[in-house]
Amino acid sequence: MIVQQLNNYQTRTFKIWLLQQGKWKAVKSYNNNANSAKTTWAVPGGGMLADGIKFTFGVPELERRRDLGERLQRRAGDIARCAHARTNTLLHGDLKAANIIMPNAVSGALVPIVFDWQWAGPGCAAADLAFFIATSLSREASEMEDALVTLYHERLTARLRARGSSEANRAADSIDMETLRRDMDANVVDYVRFCAGSVWGPLTPASMEKHRHEQNIGIARRSLWHLARLVERAGRAMDVLERREFKTYQDDVEEARREAERLEREKRREAQ
């Protein structure tokens, strides 16, 4: 209900969010960064990941994904459609470690408080999760991504069902583990599309070293290991999206519905 009210208010009045999470939505940022995602990704002969990143392609993860920028540019619209196909969740919009505090950590009662809600809006639940993982996890935690996503899903669905309402149960039913993983793939790719076009261009080894302790900056901008891991993660996810021909969960449901109708029509014809 809250998300629907936000959609109605914002799209009818200011059209800020366009039914989506604002800063990752392709219709808002496509013209600004879709083309540069290709042109700044890999300069021929320059050994660059993006304009200004003077890393040699001795990093295997970056070498393997030399063509990712062109793919991000070519399918930017399809990527955004997949990433924002499900918009029934109220998102924080900037969920990173710097926006979370643990005021009771000394006592052992870890009760997180999330602040800085200026980017809040309706969107896909996986968007906040993908952003947090991409910007905030330590190296050790990053290597546990699959286990953490599974735990997130278990806790999320359990807490929804604990509410006991039919609406909460429907919400829990709507996001099975396979759906969450599909949404994660799309949102990781969309986030890297955004970064490749608008964020990573000025990076240099010196700038990464200079800012390596600044928690308000995403960790992939401060750590080559995290940057390479994120690129490789996005590359694998892009492979999956392409194999699925950028079909969303809703596309699958609609396809199944049409197939069921076709079979029913055939059954009726045979009965005549």
Side-chain angles (χ1 to χ4, degrees):
M1 179 63 71
I2 293 175
V3 171
Q4 186 60 49
Q5 289 172 351
L6 279 170
N7 278 338
N8 291 339
Y9 177 73
Q10 294 185 133
T11 56
R12 291 176 183 174
T13 309
F14 299 110
K15 299 186 182 299
I16 295 173
W17 291 96
L18 298 174
L19 293 173
Q20 311 292 349
Q21 186 185 17
K23 62 181 175 181
W24 293 354
K25 175 62 176 163
V27 296
K28 179 174 180 178
S29 57
Y30 178 84
N31 290 335
N32 291 333
N33 62 39
N35 290 332
S36 59
K38 173 184 176 182
T39 58
T40 68
W41 188 266
V43 179
M48 296 181 182
L49 170 67
D51 187 21
I53 300 181
K54 306 301 191 295
F55 304 128
T56 66
F57 278 96
V59 180
E61 293 86 351
L62 304 186
E63 179 66 30
R64 284 196 297 268
R65 300 299 176 180
R66 192 187 283 256
D67 67 339
L68 186 56
E70 184 276 331
R71 294 162 68 193
L72 292 171
Q73 179 206 32
R74 178 162 42 87
R75 304 307 296 264
D78 291 325
I79 293 166
R81 187 178 70 88
C82 290
H84 306 292
R86 295 157 52 83
T87 60
N88 56 348
T89 301
L90 179 61
L91 301 180
H92 179 275
D94 194 17
L95 191 64
K96 57 188 177 184
N99 287 335
I100 303 173
I101 58 175
M102 297 285 192
N104 298 321
V106 175
S107 67
L110 299 180
V111 182
I113 295 178
V114 181
F115 60 95
D116 193 5
W117 289 82
Q118 66 180 1
W119 285 104
C124 175
D128 271 352
L129 181 59
F131 182 71
F132 182 80
I133 289 173
T135 61
S136 305
L137 295 190
S138 67
R139 183 166 180 164
E140 293 76 17
S142 295
E143 293 174 338
M144 299 169 57
E145 178 179 335
D146 287 345
L148 292 173
V149 171
T150 299
L151 179 61
Y152 170 87
H153 178 262
E154 292 174 355
R155 297 287 179 86
L156 173 64
T157 52
R159 291 189 177 189
L160 284 170
R161 296 191 192 285
R163 295 186 175 186
S165 69
S166 58
E167 184 180 23
N169 283 325
R170 284 195 302 271
D173 291 340
S174 72
I175 187 163
D176 57 44
M177 194 64 217
E178 175 60 24
T179 299
L180 179 59
R181 292 193 186 281
R182 289 179 65 161
D183 289 347
M184 282 289 293
D185 283 344
N187 278 277
V188 167
V189 172
D190 198 39
Y191 176 60
V192 169
R193 176 195 64 81
F194 170 77
C195 289
S198 297
V199 178
W200 288 343
L203 287 181
T204 66
S207 73
M208 296 183 86
E209 176 62 24
K210 177 182 178 181
H211 299 296
R212 66 191 179 98
H213 295 303
E214 296 183 22
Q215 297 296 314
N216 197 44
I217 296 177
I219 200 165
R221 295 167 61 191
R222 299 182 282 119
S223 161
L224 176 56
W225 185 90
H226 285 86
L227 174 64
R229 182 178 178 83
L230 179 56
V231 168
E232 175 59 23
R233 171 72 176 86
R236 294 197 310 271
M238 187 67 174
D239 295 341
V240 172
L241 292 180
E242 289 174 336
R243 285 197 300 270
R244 291 176 179 156
E245 298 179 336
F246 295 90
K247 290 183 179 178
T248 67
Y249 171 81
Q250 287 86 346
D251 292 334
D252 289 345
V253 170
E254 178 62 20
E255 193 173 286
R257 184 190 65 79
R258 288 197 299 266
E259 178 62 12
E261 290 178 349
R262 185 188 67 79
L263 293 174
E264 181 63 24
R265 288 194 299 270
E266 289 185 358
K267 183 179 179 180
R268 290 175 180 174
R269 281 197 299 268
E270 292 173 357
Q272 294 173 353

